[in-house]
Amino acid sequence: AVQLVESGGGLVQPGGSLRLSCVVSGFTFANSAVSWVRQAPGKGLEWVSSTYAGGGRTTYADSVKGRFAVSRDNAKNTLYLQLDNLRTEDTGMYYCGKGGYCSGSACDSMLRGQGTQVTVSS
């Protein structure tokens, strides 16, 4: 069965950093696009970043570009998201998911883990 298990969330002050991890099993991680999406309180899922197989192309939402960095370790079946210069509006549940860029209902149907909570507050 496909499993995605996120970790690394927590409470951090504005301007702080976190590193999220996602361990994947049940599909060929090295050959797959994988993404991070997030959900702020009371809002829908928002695509954050994706990394693709092969050349390792990465893409980011404009809201996180220059502050977040996605990476992957294919030997460990693990996806990472480095979050720097965090803002209060980055607060939310962060999920890793199988697949590339998504929007709207496509994000809702993305196969993803249980999530890890990121709270940015002073």
Side-chain angles (χ1 to χ4, degrees):
V2 173
Q3 279 195 315
L4 304 101
V5 181
E6 304 93 337
S7 63
L11 172 64
V12 63
Q13 292 185 341
S17 297
L18 286 172
R19 190 192 195 205
L20 308 184
S21 299
C22 172
V23 179
V24 167
S25 61
F27 64 93
T28 308
F29 180 76
N31 294 343
S32 301
V34 282
S35 298
W36 289 97
V37 297
R38 67 185 180 184
Q39 187 167 27
K43 296 189 176 181
L45 285 169
E46 175 192 18
W47 172 78
V48 174
S49 180
S50 299
T51 174
Y52 297 85
R57 182 172 66 96
T58 58
T59 53
Y60 298 93
D62 286 344
S63 58
V64 307
K65 202 171 292 184
R67 300 187 299 119
F68 291 7
V70 65
S71 61
R72 61 194 297 165
D73 185 334
N74 290 335
K76 295 182 178 180
N77 280 7
T78 302
L79 177 70
Y80 302 99
L81 187 67
Q82 178 69 38
L83 292 71
D84 294 323
N85 193 18
L86 281 160
R87 305 169 180 168
T88 55
E89 55 263 39
D90 294 318
T91 293
M93 188 70 77
Y94 283 68
Y95 303 89
C96 63
K98 184 178 184 295
Y101 170 79
C102 67
S103 65
S105 60
C107 291
D108 294 333
S109 61
M110 175 179 279
L111 185 64
R112 57 187 189 273
Q114 293 299 305
T116 186
Q117 177 68 36
V118 172
T119 302
V120 185
S121 175
S122 56

